[in-house]
Amino acid sequence: MKSSITRAEFLRLFGATLFAAGTSSLSGCGSRTNDTNRLKIAFLTNGPINDFGYNSAHERARLDVQNALDDRVETQMVENVPETADASRVMERLVQAGNRLIIPTSFGYQDAAFDLAGRSPNVQFLQAWGFKQHPNMGSYSAKMYEAWYVCGVVAGLVSQSGKLGIVAAHPIPPMRWQINAFVLGARSVNPAITAQVIFINHWFDATLASEATTTLIQQGADVVTGVLDSSRAVAQTAEARGAYLIGHNADLSQFAPNRILTGTEWLWGKLYTEVVRAVLNGTNLNGKHYSGGLREGYVGYREFSSRVPQAARAAATEAANRIRSGALAVYAGPISDNAGRVRVPAGTTLTHDQIMGIDWAVQGVSGQ
């Protein structure tokens, strides 16, 4: 899943004084690095930034920040940082190197960031998907379930078999609330839709993802998607086997040019730029949580391909507009799980925090 370089290569390239962990690598820096008045910002990812997925979305966002605030910031990305003690060591070196805002982009970094925040009062931390609070530590998330719902509307109207196939990483809340939203969107336009999920228990393994996609297609799924750090193998398999594809995280059209319908995308750049501007203007993160969805421009969906019928385009666009206006909430009751238990009663709507903790599957979902 993760590309890496040896410790010797790493130290040769980047110097032993900056990083202690030999499994990570530094990606990009802002210009004019000798300007001490610029805010130094470091991002960390747990995978490669060329994954056409979750990590590449953060790299694009880093570049957005650099481009928007170039005269005021100096940014760098450290990729392939394991969610182990290495993360703490890497962040400590980043603090020593003068970075005053550190953005760990994976939930697995939270404990290390929280500990370091307590020992680094002059540095601020912005933790992805975090919930721990500290005077110089904030957190952020995004309502990706809104984009998934819109893509589900497309899938529900395009599918002829009534069967969707989903390849997912792990059976944990961040996977569940994305899968559920996709299926809720599909069933909003076709209540007979069902979805089969295969968890590969890996953030991305091309072989496992391809095998799982093949299995789902053989079982009758004519629209497939991947809830993975990178869904490139899902896209390639869909293209080869003639299933339609809903992409995730990034533009996957080059891997499924004849089968892609649309796809979700993270738009972290706007969120990051807003937070960095606030920090530059003297704001202390102080436990603040930043979150938004389609309305705020923090998530989105790819342009519909020519294979999406006009009726599906119109229905999906209407759903997106209703979400933006507040007229439609993805997790508004009544919603039952796949065992028939009412999870969201009629007249109630889950909060964003409640959605983040979902550990159940909606009606119509089955799988390992």
Side-chain angles (χ1 to χ4, degrees), residues 161-225:
S161 69
K163 297 180 180 180
L164 310 181
I166 303 169
V167 182
H170 303 278
I172 57 177
M175 304 292 101
R176 296 290 190 192
W177 56 254
Q178 295 184 78
I179 293 168
N180 286 350
F182 180 56
V183 177
L184 287 170
R187 288 172 67 89
S188 74
V189 294
N190 182 355
I193 283 282
T194 60
Q196 176 77 13
V197 183
I198 296 179
F199 292 102
I200 63 173
N201 295 307
H202 204 294
W203 288 114
F204 176 66
D205 181 292
T207 300
L208 293 177
S210 180
E211 291 174 350
T213 306
T214 297
T215 297
L216 291 167
I217 294 171
Q218 290 174 341
Q219 292 176 350
D222 59 353
V223 179
V224 295
T225 192

Side-chain angles (χ1 to χ4, degrees), residues 40-155:
K40 294 186 68 173
I41 307 169
F43 298 76
L44 287 77
T45 66
N46 65 0
I49 60 171
N50 63 348
D51 65 354
F52 288 92
Y54 182 81
N55 296 302
S56 62
H58 286 288
E59 171 63 1
R60 291 195 305 273
R62 179 191 72 82
L63 295 173
D64 288 343
V65 172
Q66 189 66 62
N67 291 333
L69 303 169
D70 186 56
D71 60 335
R72 304 181 68 187
V73 301
E74 174 191 332
T75 68
Q76 61 180 302
M77 174 69 78
V78 189
E79 60 182 323
N80 292 313
V81 180
E83 295 168 326
T84 63
D86 280 345
S88 180
R89 289 192 287 268
V90 168
M91 284 189 275
E92 286 178 353
R93 296 303 185 271
L94 290 167
V95 169
Q96 294 170 11
N99 290 278
R100 290 298 172 260
L101 176 60
I102 295 177
I103 303 178
T105 67
S106 180
F107 175 77
Y109 298 139
Q110 179 175 233
D111 289 343
F114 181 78
D115 175 67
L116 190 56
R119 296 185 281 113
S120 309
N122 296 322
V123 180
Q124 298 208 60
F125 295 80
L126 183 67
Q127 173 64 52
W129 314 105
F131 59 84
K132 292 188 175 182
Q133 296 185 337
H134 194 279
N136 56 317
M137 182 174 174
S139 58
Y140 70 100
S141 60
K143 300 176 181 178
M144 179 54 84
Y145 45 87
E146 295 181 348
W148 273 115
Y149 186 95
V150 174
C151 290
V153 171
V154 173

